[in-house]
Amino acid sequence: MPVRLDRNSADFARQFADFLGAKREVSADIEAATRAIVDDVAARGDAALIEATRKFDRLELDASGLRVTSGEIDAAMKACDAGTLEALAFARDRIELFHRRQLPKDERFTDALGVELGWRWSAIDAVGLYVPGGTAAYPSSVLMNAVPARVAGVARVVMVVPSPDGKLNPLVLAAAHLGGVSEIYRVGGAQAVAALAYGTATIAPVAKIVGPGNAYVAAAKRLVFGKVGIDMIAGPSEVLVIADHTGNAGWIAADLLAQAEHDVNAQSILITDSKALADDVERAVESQLATLPRADIARASWDQFGAIILVKSLEEAVPLANAIAAEHLEIMTSDPEALSAQIRNAGAIFLGPHTPEAIGDYVGGSNHVLPTARSARFSSGLGVLDFMKRTSILKCGPDQLRALGPAAMTLGKAEGLDAHARSVGLRLNLS
Amino acid sequence: MPVRLDRNSADFARQFADFLGAKREVSADIEAATRAIVDDVAARGDAALIEATRKFDRLELDASGLRVTSGEIDAAMKACDAGTLEALAFARDRIELFHRRQLPKDERFTDALGVELGWRWSAIDAVGLYVPGGTAAYPSSVLMNAVPARVAGVARVVMVVPSPDGKLNPLVLAAAHLGGVSEIYRVGGAQAVAALAYGTATIAPVAKIVGPGNAYVAAAKRLVFGKVGIDMIAGPSEVLVIADHTGNAGWIAADLLAQAEHDVNAQSILITDSKALADDVERAVESQLATLPRADIARASWDQFGAIILVKSLEEAVPLANAIAAEHLEIMTSDPEALSAQIRNAGAIFLGPHTPEAIGDYVGGSNHVLPTARSARFSSGLGVLDFMKRTSILKCGPDQLRALGPAAMTLGKAEGLDAHARSVGLRLNLS
């Protein structure tokens, strides 16, 4: 059974604080083990990578076998169902159209003093894309990471994907092909992250690593952060549904379960001002669970982390939603836009009854890599800007230096940095 | 003596690789000590914060004394030199004008199928700004962090600054006042980072922490990353000057020393196609060092990490500059714009002989918080976007769901996520 909270119970503040503070994922202390793997690959390159792959993926390779060949990719494309390939291509096109709008503009202007200022955006040269193996190998995630990178203009998109016992998911290879991935290597875990960060004889290093992975992958990304850039550390997924009496209980239940089926640590939350809807949703969840293939996972998530929060009015839902800062927020009320306008913290908002989150997961066009575990308070979903960087530009002539120089010299001296002041003063014959 | 490399010597490739790979900072293993401090503040709040402040800053406080009062800030303003305050206000205004141009636009559009898509930017609610104490307490850095946060619309900008033996730099308090900081607490180190991340009875938690600090501060930021957002982990600063025979050796030497005086781990590099200029710059550095107050620091940096790289042509300088990916790049050649256009990796570019980096450090208007240690390959200087986050928006009606739904169902089923498919199918009467 999910927890039930009532916004207007005497003890709500404490209960809600506990609810927000509850950890859904216990991070084991695997840093030492991860560091050993990363250091080994950094020091010994391919040899260490191959040994780790033998040990963790039970796969015997030599360096020439690390890279997935174009023949294998062609074969994978042929092995996939045509309808599924078509859906992937449809998703790819929509993701591309959406993300093209995120391409930033350069800026260059001259201010009142004649100083030229601005900035220039450029793509990162090479990016690594981590793709998990096994059951969590999602072709849609390959597209969500690779397409924005290509839209940004990244020349080299390098995918790593573990191949336990030699198995690769053909749909993942197909998505990589459709998404414009440049190179694919059949390695995973901390060893793959290290290979991307430090490079080996076979795998040239990249400048940034993105994509989800298990705890070892996350720990390895933390360790190489600084040497290369990384995206967010993804946590378990969550959905928050805000609904009033107009909500369809069956549809809401289906959306809560779509979240819950991801992972036992996923979280599904309903906030409603309708006790009747709350009861109906809870019954519908039970009924739908009966016929769900991944019912065990979904039930574990719903029982352990699911929540229904009753409020007196939808106004009361706003501060709660902003505190929860959900990765996915569905609004199914009589005026979803009005409520949405009051939301500050959410990874993505799905408006109205005909926008189930699953549309955004696959074919809406927006990115499904979104901030989890309340990190929407301070971070954004993946996008084109994550694959670019900005160089600022400053240009003075003699007149501008005369206008700005004295203040710079004053501040340099005030900070005890005389060489700073002197670098200006020399040019102005002031030192 | 700085290292001298010649692009056209037989052994250049190996020498340049060694040069790029050389570590300028040895990170001591302080994670365990840092973790103990962070965990203690997370668990015991103010009491732990006060104990750590007594231990590390030799300062006896109770909870009511943690916050710097408005009276103290007024007194600090009065204690500052009027000319310096004027220069700080001038810098503040220029930083504000530049950063206003970085405010991003929201997007909302309807595609050919009638799907409404877009995103909305919003400011982070509360941000913490770490300011180092002691000799590295730079009022200019307070402005460079606080002003973009206020331009972004951050409602609560919370500054922490250690006060060793009770001492605070009046200029730092003045800059905080001018920059619009909301609250100031006289705490520092890992304990201050933990207080910002977890909150205490006195200090309400923030959602993101920015600003430079020592190794303990950096380690603490790594530890709380995920709980809150953090900015980059700053390393030692560096400048790269590219100059041809038109370069003024004295001015170039002054700029190299302005970088070197920061820190013994700072790095100053000259790339030139003129052997005569290289020799002149080296002599000018020696001559200027003789009268520099921070000559000990600057000489240690120049001797240990300084470098002069000779190239046959400026064309050869471009790939080297892109590999070095300098925090600051000064171009003093006959056509700086043409060379600049070829640079992909740099934090900031300073064009022409009258744009010494010190102008950008203080009053240019662009941000002086820039990616160090080659991280300009994958990251940008601090800006308004670092204080905002983006929420994506998706809205379908029944027709749009019919158009997109089947592909989403196909992909959901292909990924083994039947509840995803069902959440769409139920709405289309397909399941």
Side-chain angles (χ1 to χ4, degrees):
Chain A
M1 294 287 289
V3 65
R4 279 251 194 172
L5 303 179
D6 185 332
R7 169 71 184 79
N8 294 288
S9 75
D11 201 26
F12 179 79
R14 191 191 57 76
Q15 290 173 355
F16 187 66
D18 287 351
F19 172 72
L20 279 187
K23 279 209 176 137
R24 286 187 281 140
E25 222 176 20
V26 179
S27 48
D29 188 9
I30 56 168
E31 200 197 289
T34 306
R35 192 186 290 273
I37 297 169
V38 168
D39 288 350
D40 193 28
V41 173
R44 296 196 301 126
D46 279 344
L49 183 60
I50 287 167
E51 281 176 31
T53 301
R54 183 187 303 130
K55 179 172 171 189
F56 296 112
D57 294 338
R58 301 160 303 281
L59 181 63
E60 195 65 52
L61 292 172
D62 58 20
S64 68
L66 288 169
R67 184 162 176 176
V68 175
T69 65
S70 58
E72 289 176 276
I73 296 165
D74 290 346
M77 292 286 289
K78 290 202 183 89
C80 293
D81 168 69
T84 309
L85 285 183
E86 207 177 306
L88 275 178
F90 180 69
R92 186 263 325 264
D93 293 346
R94 290 190 57 84
I95 297 164
E96 186 173 328
L97 278 174
F98 181 88
H99 286 81
R100 283 208 175 284
R101 290 179 180 254
Q102 291 184 340
L103 278 165
K105 289 205 176 67
D106 294 345
E107 174 80 320
R108 186 84 180 248
F109 66 100
T110 304
D111 71 12
L113 297 174
V115 181
E116 289 185 51
L117 298 126
W119 57 81
R120 198 168 68 200
W121 289 91
S122 55
I124 296 173
D125 288 334
V127 166
L129 164 51
Y130 191 94
V131 176
T135 55
Y138 295 137
S140 58
S141 290
V142 174
L143 294 179
M144 291 291 178
N145 282 275
V147 173
R150 295 313 300 258
V151 168
V154 175
R156 191 169 157 255
V157 180
V158 184
M159 182 171 121
V160 292
V161 54
S163 164
D165 301 308
K167 292 193 187 75
L168 283 172
N169 180 341
L171 275 175
V172 163
L173 297 186
H177 180 70
L178 292 170
V181 166
S182 328
E183 303 159 27
I184 308 174
Y185 298 94
R186 66 187 97 235
V187 290
Q191 60 273 21
V193 173
L196 289 170
Y198 290 93
T200 72
T202 303
I203 305 178
V206 301
K208 185 166 183 171
I209 302 173
V210 300
N214 64 19
Y216 289 89
V217 171
K221 282 168 69 180
R222 261 182 208 269
L223 285 175
V224 301
F225 172 47
K227 171 79 181 165
V228 297
I230 62 169
D231 61 348
M232 64 193 92
I233 305 285
S237 196
E238 74 250 348
V239 71
L240 166 62
V241 179
I242 302 179
D244 62 15
H245 68 280
T246 66
N248 179 312
W251 299 0
I252 293 169
D255 296 356
L256 296 173
L257 287 173
Q259 195 59 46
E261 76 170 341
H262 268 293
D263 181 349
V264 294
N265 293 315
Q267 182 165 51
S268 303
I269 308 167
L270 169 66
I271 301 183
T272 181
D273 60 356
S274 163
K275 171 92 169 50
L277 182 77
D279 295 342
D280 288 348
V281 168
E282 205 169 338
R283 273 191 296 271
V285 166
E286 286 304 318
S287 145
Q288 293 181 24
L289 270 170
T291 57
L292 195 64
R294 290 166 70 95
D296 288 354
I297 293 170
R299 179 177 291 288
S301 157
W302 179 240
D303 284 353
Q304 203 181 346
F305 299 113
I308 296 177
I309 303 176
L310 271 179
V311 289
K312 257 191 203 150
S313 69
L314 292 178
E315 280 303 309
E316 285 186 353
V318 172
L320 303 183
N322 282 330
I324 292 168
E327 182 189 10
H328 309 99
L329 170 62
E330 295 187 351
I331 306 181
M332 289 186 248
T333 60
S334 56
D335 189 353
E337 295 273 4
L339 191 57
S340 166
Q342 299 181 73
I343 299 297
R344 296 180 54 79
N345 299 333
I349 299 178
F350 303 84
L351 292 166
H354 297 96
T355 320
E357 184 211 308
I359 292 294
D361 287 341
Y362 293 121
V363 293
S366 51
N367 209 294
H368 81 196
V369 180
L370 293 165
T372 58
R374 303 187 67 217
S375 62
R377 291 173 301 128
F378 55 81
S379 64
S380 310
L382 196 70
V384 167
L385 294 184
D386 294 299
F387 298 101
M388 305 185 79
K389 64 267 184 331
R390 196 179 57 224
T391 297
S392 65
I393 294 169
L394 187 61
K395 185 181 186 179
C396 295
D399 291 346
Q400 289 73 46
L401 188 62
R402 261 190 297 277
L404 298 181
M409 292 178 70
T410 297
L411 292 174
K413 285 175 187 162
E415 292 187 349
L417 297 175
D418 292 78
H420 281 60
R422 188 189 282 179
S423 73
V424 175
L426 263 184
R427 287 163 162 95
L428 298 176
N429 292 316
L430 293 177
S431 57
Chain B
M1 295 288 289
V3 63
R4 278 251 193 169
L5 303 180
D6 185 332
R7 168 74 183 77
N8 294 288
S9 76
D11 201 26
F12 178 79
R14 191 192 56 76
Q15 289 173 355
F16 187 66
D18 287 351
F19 172 73
L20 278 187
K23 278 205 179 142
R24 285 186 283 141
E25 221 176 21
V26 178
S27 48
D29 189 10
I30 54 167
E31 201 196 288
T34 307
R35 192 185 291 274
I37 297 169
V38 169
D39 288 350
D40 193 27
V41 172
R44 296 196 300 127
D46 279 342
L49 183 60
I50 287 167
E51 282 176 31
T53 301
R54 182 186 304 131
K55 179 171 172 190
F56 296 113
D57 294 338
R58 300 159 304 280
L59 182 63
E60 195 66 50
L61 292 172
D62 59 19
S64 68
L66 287 169
R67 185 163 176 176
V68 175
T69 65
S70 59
E72 289 176 277
I73 297 165
D74 289 346
M77 292 286 289
K78 290 203 184 90
C80 292
D81 168 69
T84 308
L85 285 183
E86 207 177 307
L88 275 178
F90 179 69
R92 187 262 324 269
D93 292 347
R94 291 190 57 85
I95 297 165
E96 186 173 329
L97 278 175
F98 181 88
H99 286 81
R100 284 209 175 281
R101 290 180 180 252
Q102 290 184 340
L103 279 166
K105 289 205 175 65
D106 293 346
E107 174 80 322
R108 187 84 180 248
F109 65 100
T110 305
D111 72 12
L113 296 173
V115 181
E116 288 185 52
L117 299 126
W119 57 81
R120 198 168 66 200
W121 288 92
S122 55
I124 296 173
D125 288 334
V127 167
L129 163 51
Y130 190 93
V131 175
T135 56
Y138 294 138
S140 59
S141 289
V142 174
L143 294 180
M144 291 291 177
N145 282 276
V147 173
R150 295 313 300 260
V151 168
V154 174
R156 194 170 155 253
V157 179
V158 184
M159 183 170 121
V160 292
V161 54
S163 164
D165 301 308
K167 293 194 186 74
L168 282 172
N169 180 340
L171 276 174
V172 163
L173 297 187
H177 180 71
L178 292 170
V181 166
S182 329
E183 303 160 27
I184 307 174
Y185 298 94
R186 67 187 99 236
V187 291
Q191 61 272 21
V193 173
L196 289 170
Y198 291 93
T200 71
T202 304
I203 306 179
V206 301
K208 185 166 184 172
I209 301 173
V210 301
N214 64 18
Y216 288 89
V217 171
K221 282 167 70 180
R222 260 181 209 269
L223 285 174
V224 301
F225 172 48
K227 171 79 181 167
V228 297
I230 62 169
D231 62 348
M232 65 194 90
I233 304 285
S237 196
E238 74 252 347
V239 70
L240 167 61
V241 179
I242 301 179
D244 62 14
H245 67 282
T246 66
N248 179 313
W251 299 359
I252 293 170
D255 296 357
L256 296 173
L257 287 174
Q259 194 60 45
E261 77 170 339
H262 267 295
D263 181 349
V264 295
N265 293 316
Q267 183 166 50
S268 304
I269 308 168
L270 169 65
I271 301 183
T272 181
D273 59 355
S274 164
K275 170 93 169 45
L277 183 76
D279 295 341
D280 289 348
V281 168
E282 205 169 337
R283 272 190 297 270
V285 166
E286 285 305 318
S287 147
Q288 293 180 24
L289 270 170
T291 56
L292 196 64
R294 290 165 71 95
D296 287 354
I297 293 169
R299 178 178 291 286
S301 158
W302 179 240
D303 283 353
Q304 202 180 349
F305 299 113
I308 296 177
I309 304 177
L310 271 178
V311 289
K312 257 194 202 146
S313 69
L314 292 177
E315 279 305 308
E316 285 186 352
V318 172
L320 304 183
N322 281 329
I324 292 168
E327 183 189 12
H328 309 99
L329 171 61
E330 294 187 351
I331 305 181
M332 289 185 248
T333 60
S334 56
D335 189 353
E337 295 272 6
L339 191 58
S340 165
Q342 299 180 74
I343 298 298
R344 296 180 55 76
N345 299 333
I349 299 179
F350 302 84
L351 292 167
H354 297 97
T355 321
E357 186 211 309
I359 291 294
D361 287 342
Y362 293 121
V363 293
S366 51
N367 209 292
H368 82 195
V369 181
L370 294 165
T372 58
R374 302 187 68 215
S375 62
R377 292 173 301 129
F378 53 81
S379 63
S380 310
L382 195 71
V384 167
L385 294 183
D386 294 299
F387 298 101
M388 305 187 78
K389 63 265 184 331
R390 196 179 57 225
T391 298
S392 65
I393 295 169
L394 187 61
K395 184 181 188 181
C396 295
D399 292 346
Q400 289 73 45
L401 188 62
R402 263 190 296 278
L404 298 182
M409 293 179 69
T410 297
L411 292 174
K413 286 174 186 162
E415 292 187 349
L417 297 175
D418 291 79
H420 280 61
R422 188 190 280 177
S423 72
V424 176
L426 263 184
R427 286 162 161 97
L428 298 175
N429 292 317
L430 293 177
S431 58

